[in-house]
Amino acid sequence: MSAQLSNPLTDPAADPFEVARRAADDIRRITGVDTHDIAVTLGSGWGKSAELLGETVAQFPATEVTGFSAPALEGHVGTLRSVRTPRGKHVLVIGARTHYYEGHGVRRVAHSVRTAAAAGAATMVLTNGAGGIKPAWKPGQPVLISDHINLTADSPLEGATFVDLTDLYSLRLRDLARSIDPSLDEGVYCQFRGPQYETPAEVQMAKTIGGHIVGMSTALEAIAARQAGMEVLGLSLITNKAAGIQTTPLSHQEVIDAGREAEPVISSLLARVIGAM
Ligand code: HPA
């Protein structure tokens, strides 16, 4: 019980934006950086880019920041890092995300994005590992997210908060990424609740309604980022062909292995894209 209450976001009466402001103050105090310009969430396979982005100003456990503190039994929640790019931009690197399927509620999912916005970031880069529906896509291939379909039946927005999502995934930033790697394809990301992988029928549904990528993150975070006024870039590493597109069963190990193999290439891509911002 007391462990549950150790995270202020578990109190329904808490204001999630006030909690994010406190988290941003923690980050200012720990890093000595008054304003972060860009934030990036590193999903499966993207972890190595933190080192390539520039000079690490500070690196610290996320548990030192308000609202990231996990209940005692939850274990590791990852590392935050403040990096200065060669162009002098301050990047907040979020080394782990809270997934919706963890069941802690959508406020916890959105907290890292809201904290990044409160820390000053105008740009939110969201990365993930995901399943590919387009038959030509191969495991290990990075793709841009052009739009999303939110299949979680939930939202980080509370009450009558009407937020425009036209061009949520910034065309300007997608063009910037393509200027670094012209071979980048793009597609529509479908966020499923998870944690089970999709059935082949669900993948066919996603395809029929216009999806190209299936995963368990990103869409809810992107909505929170847009609410906060941030410009969003989304990148998926295709770790596997989606269920039924590939005939063999999906495994978490396959996802991890594909991420590890692709890591050097996609991390350098991500570092170059962010370095050009
Ligand atoms: N589906 C959902 N999430 C995923 C997948 C997938 O096929 N691969 C990696 N994350």
Side-chain angles (χ1 to χ4, degrees):
M1 182 65 183
S2 60
Q4 280 295 326
L5 289 176
S6 69
N7 190 311
L9 289 169
T10 54
D11 175 2
D15 171 0
F17 298 97
E18 165 59 20
V19 178
R21 280 193 291 275
R22 279 161 48 202
D25 286 344
D26 292 337
I27 290 170
R28 285 191 185 96
R29 177 175 44 77
I30 295 166
T31 63
V33 175
D34 196 47
T35 302
H36 282 85
D37 307 290
I38 300 162
V40 54
T41 300
L42 300 179
S44 307
W46 297 92
K48 283 270 186 318
S49 53
E51 275 117 67
L52 306 175
L53 280 168
E55 170 208 347
T56 296
V57 176
Q59 189 176 352
F60 46 100
T63 46
E64 288 182 16
V65 177
T66 302
F68 286 79
S69 52
L73 292 179
E74 196 178 276
H76 194 63
V77 292
T79 300
L80 301 179
R81 196 193 287 231
S82 178
V83 178
R84 194 171 178 278
T85 69
R87 283 192 177 185
K89 292 273 171 81
H90 291 282
V91 183
L92 180 65
V93 183
I94 300 162
R97 53 160 51 98
T98 299
H99 285 91
Y100 186 66
Y101 59 69
E102 290 170 53
H104 299 305
V106 73
R107 284 180 168 190
R108 287 277 293 277
V109 173
H111 182 60
S112 57
V113 168
R114 289 178 173 151
T115 297
T123 305
M124 188 73 229
V125 182
L126 297 169
T127 67
N128 59 55
I133 296 180
K134 282 197 196 178
W137 288 351
K138 302 228 161 44
Q141 179 174 346
V143 298
L144 292 163
I145 300 176
S146 59
D147 202 346
H148 79 222
I149 299 174
N150 172 12
L151 295 172
T152 65
D154 208 340
S155 170
L157 310 181
E158 299 179 27
T161 309
F162 304 111
V163 171
D164 174 52
L165 300 181
T166 311
D167 193 26
L168 173 56
Y169 298 89
S170 163
L171 184 57
R172 186 184 79 83
L173 293 179
R174 279 184 275 147
D175 282 343
L176 176 73
R178 278 187 287 253
S179 76
I180 306 284
D181 180 357
S183 76
L184 278 171
D185 200 359
E186 65 178 27
V188 174
Y189 182 94
C190 293
Q191 181 175 357
F192 283 82
R193 184 194 180 283
Q196 70 283 353
Y197 292 116
E198 300 72 33
T199 64
E202 287 166 342
V203 169
Q204 285 307 311
M205 176 194 75
K207 183 179 175 183
T208 303
I209 62 178
H212 308 106
I213 308 163
V214 289
M216 305 178 196
S217 68
T218 302
L220 294 171
E221 295 161 25
I223 295 167
R226 170 50 60 92
Q227 178 189 28
M230 302 166 102
E231 191 173 12
V232 177
L233 176 66
L235 282 157
S236 290
L237 168 68
I238 302 302
T239 57
N240 56 278
K241 289 178 183 264
I245 306 289
Q246 72 174 34
T247 47
T248 49
L250 264 58
S251 77
H252 183 57
Q253 194 56 46
E254 173 189 8
V255 169
I256 302 284
D257 290 348
R260 193 165 294 138
E261 213 162 289
E263 198 152 46
V265 172
I266 62 170
S267 295
S268 116
L269 167 68
L270 181 59
R272 279 183 292 147
V273 171
I274 291 175
M277 285 178 175

